[in-house]
């Protein structure tokens, strides 16, 4: 995977996903044993942020440090991008200094533009469309709790946003069934669903979209949700609170899933909106394992695309 970009799960083969999980497991074990693993000695990751972040920033920065390299936080408002310097110029300049770039921004097209002009690996740390690193950490977490992914069912309840889109892509790749329940008008991206259907046909996964929670959640192994208003949608918060009423993970909804189902949320969460306090703090919740695994999975991605393994 040396030199590869990770803008979308769509770019990964099933073999590459399994490779990321295998390296992540090895690196996680090494961290737990206190064993050094300085695979990226002397390498530098640039991290461009147009949006806020807790997990993504800290896990990438700490991860590069553990790998023996360094990470530079580049707040977009402090870069010349914030004053209108074109992405294509920024890409070529930063390629002369850095070994890889992680970017979190609004427009997915901007990340594609960066990747087109940069000659170092570009990693998508979240766009309005996709959040690939998060869903890889999520499925790595599901394996830790439930073993083999193929044939299991993930149910996503809420907004058909970047999380829903990336979950559809990754479930189709690994052969998990995915059911998505959204209010009308908040469905996932149609082009992403259509492309994922092709992978699903190969892996035996099914993709179901509907507007009824009960149908979606029945028999689920993993129940997932995310905020109703994502970053950049703050002005729609009140309208969304009305439109999403009822699209909540609570103990009643969890009774419809399999008894051993786990509950996931990428975080940050709005308690008692998309998920109740009781469920997110309850025994089925694995939200902090997901957050921890961002570190291990992203270190695997960094080591693979920057040539450390
Ligand atoms: N889940 C996630 O990406 O969190 P941050 O916004 O804190 O990075
Ligand atoms: N959908 C959320 C995910 C945050 C990690 C957002 O884009 O704000």
């Amino acid at each position: 995977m040396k030199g590869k970009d990770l803008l979308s799960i769509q770019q990964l083969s099933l073999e590459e996903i399994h490779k990321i999980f295998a390296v992540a497991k090895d690196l996680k074990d090494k961290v737990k044993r206190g064993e050094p693993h300085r695979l990226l000695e002397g390498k530098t990751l640039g991290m461009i942020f147009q949006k806020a972040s807790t997990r993504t920033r800290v896990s990438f920065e700490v991860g590069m440090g553990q790998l023996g390299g360094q990470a530079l936080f580049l707040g977009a408002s402090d870069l010349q991008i914030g004053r209108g310097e074109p992405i294509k110029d920024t890409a070529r300049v930063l390629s002369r200094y850095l070994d890889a770039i992680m970017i979190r921004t609004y427009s997915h097209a901007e990340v594609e533009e960066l990747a087109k002009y940069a000659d170092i690996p570009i990693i998508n740390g979240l766009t309005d469309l996709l959040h690939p690193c998060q869903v890889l950490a999520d499925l790595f977490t599901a394996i830790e709790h439930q073993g083999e992914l193929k044939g299991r069912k993930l149910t996503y309840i809420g907004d058909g946003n970047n999380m829903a889109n990336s979950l559809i892509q990754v479930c189709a790749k690994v052969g998990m069934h995915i059911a998505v329940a959204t209010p009308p008008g908040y469905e996932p991206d149609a082009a992403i669903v259509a492309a994922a259907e092709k992978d699903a046909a190969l892996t035996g996964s099914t993709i179901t979209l509907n507007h009824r929670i009960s149908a979606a959640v029945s028999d689920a192994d993993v129940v997932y949700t995310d905020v109703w208003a994502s970053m950049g949608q703050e002005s729609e918060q009140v309208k969304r609170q009305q439109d999403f009423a009822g699209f909540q993970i609570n103990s009643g909804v969890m009774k419809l899933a399999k008894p051993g189902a786990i509950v996931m949320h990428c975080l940050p969460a709005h308690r008692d909106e998309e998920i109740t306090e009781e469920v997110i703090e309850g025994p089925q919740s694995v939200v902090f394992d997901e957050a921890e695994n961002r570190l291990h999975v992203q270190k695997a991605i960094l080591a693979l695309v920057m040539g450390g393994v």
Side-chain angles (χ1 to χ4, degrees):
M1 290 177 68
K2 188 170 182 206
K4 196 173 167 105
D5 296 323
L6 176 49
L7 309 190
S8 160
I9 294 292
Q10 204 59 45
Q11 295 170 301
L12 296 176
S13 66
L14 181 58
E15 292 67 36
E16 287 172 331
I17 292 173
H18 284 306
K19 179 78 183 164
I20 292 168
F21 291 162
V23 174
K25 166 93 176 70
D26 179 51
L27 295 179
K28 183 170 181 174
D29 290 345
K30 286 193 163 83
V31 170
K32 302 291 171 192
R33 290 198 300 266
E35 218 175 281
H37 44 282
R38 298 173 69 83
L39 304 172
L40 295 178
E41 193 99 51
K43 305 269 189 194
T44 306
L45 173 75
M47 307 188 300
I48 302 175
F49 280 95
Q50 293 256 20
K51 290 175 172 172
S53 170
T54 297
R55 281 143 289 269
T56 304
R57 178 189 174 169
V58 177
S59 56
F60 269 107
E61 192 162 336
V62 168
M64 273 307 284
Q66 291 180 359
L67 290 167
Q70 61 171 331
L72 290 182
F73 175 78
L74 304 167
S77 55
D78 299 328
L79 295 173
Q80 295 288 9
I81 292 179
R83 295 180 55 251
E85 184 170 18
I87 289 277
K88 62 183 182 183
D89 291 1
T90 307
R92 286 171 288 182
V93 171
L94 293 182
S95 294
R96 305 283 178 113
Y97 306 132
L98 300 169
D99 300 289
I101 296 173
M102 191 286 307
I103 177 166
R104 165 169 288 196
T105 189
Y106 294 89
S107 149
H108 193 74
E110 204 171 293
V111 178
E112 287 175 338
E113 171 96 345
L114 184 69
K116 182 173 167 197
Y117 286 95
D119 51 18
I120 54 176
I122 304 299
I123 300 169
N124 177 359
L126 179 146
T127 61
D128 290 344
L129 190 69
L130 295 170
H131 196 2
C133 296
Q134 177 71 50
V135 299
L136 290 170
D138 296 335
L139 291 200
F140 181 79
T141 307
I143 294 171
E144 288 183 328
H145 285 271
Q146 300 179 323
E148 170 75 31
L149 299 171
K150 197 168 164 60
R152 291 194 181 273
K153 177 178 175 184
L154 185 148
T155 295
Y156 177 92
I157 296 171
D159 189 16
N161 60 13
N162 42 14
M163 287 310 313
N165 292 334
S166 287
L167 286 166
I168 289 168
Q169 291 182 326
V170 81
C171 286
K173 286 270 179 195
V174 302
M176 277 182 93
H177 306 298
I178 178 161
V180 177
T182 67
Y186 292 98
E187 292 80 9
D189 185 89
I192 283 176
V193 174
E197 290 284 7
K198 295 195 178 119
D199 284 322
L202 296 175
T203 60
S205 133
T206 53
I207 302 170
T208 316
L209 310 181
N210 65 36
H211 303 125
R212 283 182 38 241
I213 292 181
S214 53
V217 85
S218 107
D219 268 340
D221 296 286
V222 180
V223 185
Y224 203 116
T225 192
D226 184 17
V227 290
W228 293 340
S230 286
M231 290 181 275
Q233 297 172 335
E234 288 78 6
S235 64
E236 298 171 32
Q237 177 73 29
V238 173
K239 174 170 170 29
R240 283 171 171 264
Q241 254 166 304
Q242 290 157 3
D243 292 348
F244 284 84
F247 284 80
Q248 181 190 62
I249 299 186
N250 51 42
S251 55
V253 168
M254 287 311 298
K255 286 201 181 80
L256 305 173
K258 282 199 185 140
I262 52 176
V263 174
M264 290 193 168
H265 192 309
C266 55
L267 303 177
H270 287 187
R271 283 166 162 77
D272 298 326
E273 287 185 22
E274 74 274 5
I275 189 164
T276 58
E277 170 83 6
E278 183 189 4
V279 171
I280 199 168
E281 296 290 351
Q284 289 171 285
S285 169
V286 298
V287 299
F288 299 110
D289 293 341
E290 292 172 81
E292 177 184 338
N293 285 332
R294 295 290 303 280
L295 172 68
H296 308 300
V297 167
Q298 287 160 195
K299 281 169 67 185
I301 295 166
L302 291 168
L304 285 162
V305 303
M306 292 164 88
V309 284

